[in-house]
Amino acid sequence: MRSPFNWVGNKYRYVENINNIIKNNKYNKVYDVFMGSGNILLNLECEAESLIGNDSIPLIPNVYTAISTTKENFALNELQSIVDKWNKFSDKQDYYSFRDYWNVKYLGNNYDKDFIYETILLLKMCSNSMVRFNSKKGYFNQGFRGVGKGKTEFFSDTMKSKIIRELNNLKNNLTARKYEFTIGDFKHTLSKVVKDDLVILDPPYILSSGMYGMNFTNEDDLYLLDFMQNTDCHYILFNYLESGEEVNYNLTNFLSKNPNLYVENLNNNTSTGQNRKGKKEIIEVMISNIKTAN
């Protein structure tokens, strides 16, 4: 299933690649250390006593926890009442007023049922589906995607019905397996990992740091590679080897020292910039120490 809380850079399109190497494996715990929108964790085809999603940004861990403890199903009339309250999001001012309102609830840790609806609405309306937070004060600051040409409101009836369907599917998924969601530094999460665990590592790529608006340094990148070098657990890492003229020398050096790792080339070009104009050559890879039959 695809999470309704999607944004650019999520790994839903690579779920099959992951499952090809872990399918039917048995683990004590699975850690998705940089869970983002959670698409990887929601679709793993392996056995595990628990699946743990961590992120330094509290939004999705807290929203998923709230969904998993919500007793009632999500309903179209509840979503519609929120859309109506904000003038059906007919122009950009509706969005920016709504964003200010949303930020008050978010920064106040008010994860009520309405906030779950409101978060999906916000993420679908923000420009280019890029989720950005102010690095110092933590508020959501992404602009408005805009109302489509010839439309008088942002959300069609089809879009609203799809949101409800996806929310209820997500709720069913979150209650079907044992999930746990945590908030904190990735290093703290990695300190808990033991031999029989699986670790998913999808960090902000240091060759595309502008996309995320997050603080992830070269030292952090080296920390992950050191963890991989010394751990006994299974791991899967996503990252860029190259982006345009830039080379990820941390990763190329690591691979040269570990020639027996599984390396899969995932992508060879990507859109650049918020206006999506032009392409630049990239090499995106999935790296793992899991032995495969292929």
Side-chain angles (χ1 to χ4, degrees), residues 132-156:
R132 293 178 183 271
F133 292 84
N134 178 277
S135 60
K136 292 183 178 180
K137 297 185 178 180
Y139 58 82
F140 184 86
N141 60 6
Q142 186 68 345
F144 183 43
R145 182 189 297 265
V147 178
K149 187 176 180 180
K151 295 175 63 177
T152 58
E153 56 187 273
F154 189 92
F155 294 99
S156 66

Side-chain angles (χ1 to χ4, degrees), residues 27-156:
Y27 297 103
N28 175 34
K29 295 181 179 180
V30 176
Y31 291 91
D32 190 350
V33 181
F34 306 88
M35 68 172 285
S37 56
N39 276 305
I40 293 177
L41 202 63
L42 295 170
N43 290 285
L44 295 178
E45 295 180 3
C46 62
E47 294 184 32
E49 292 184 12
S50 61
L51 300 102
I52 301 162
N54 177 78
D55 210 288
S56 60
I57 297 174
L59 177 60
I60 297 302
N62 282 340
V63 164
Y64 280 10
T65 299
I67 291 173
S68 65
T69 56
T70 298
K71 295 181 179 180
E72 306 85 6
N73 282 338
F74 295 93
L76 183 59
N77 66 307
E78 294 175 340
L79 178 66
Q80 185 64 55
S81 67
I82 295 172
V83 173
D84 290 343
K85 178 181 177 181
W86 296 95
N87 192 37
K88 296 182 170 57
F89 300 105
S90 299
D91 61 46
K92 64 180 182 180
Q93 190 53 50
D94 298 328
Y95 170 82
Y96 288 110
S97 297
F98 173 74
R99 191 185 69 178
D100 291 342
Y101 164 85
W102 184 93
N103 272 316
V104 170
K105 293 184 71 172
Y106 171 63
L107 296 173
N109 293 311
N110 184 357
Y111 288 83
D112 59 14
K113 192 177 183 183
D114 278 357
F115 184 80
I116 296 169
Y117 292 118
E118 291 158 355
T119 299
I120 290 185
L121 296 175
L122 181 76
L123 297 186
K124 291 189 178 299
M125 288 189 291
C126 69
S127 57
N128 289 329
S129 296
M130 296 180 75
V131 176
R132 293 178 183 271
F133 292 84
N134 178 277
S135 60
K136 292 183 178 180
K137 297 185 178 180
Y139 58 82
F140 184 86
N141 60 6
Q142 186 68 345
F144 183 43
R145 182 189 297 265
V147 178
K149 187 176 180 180
K151 295 175 63 177
T152 58
E153 56 187 273
F154 189 92
F155 294 99
S156 66

Side-chain angles (χ1 to χ4, degrees), residues 67 74 116-117 120 163-171:
I67 291 173
F74 295 93
I116 296 169
Y117 292 118
I120 290 185
I163 287 172
I164 297 304
R165 183 169 62 252
E166 290 180 341
L167 267 176
N168 284 318
N169 286 342
L170 176 58
K171 182 177 183 294

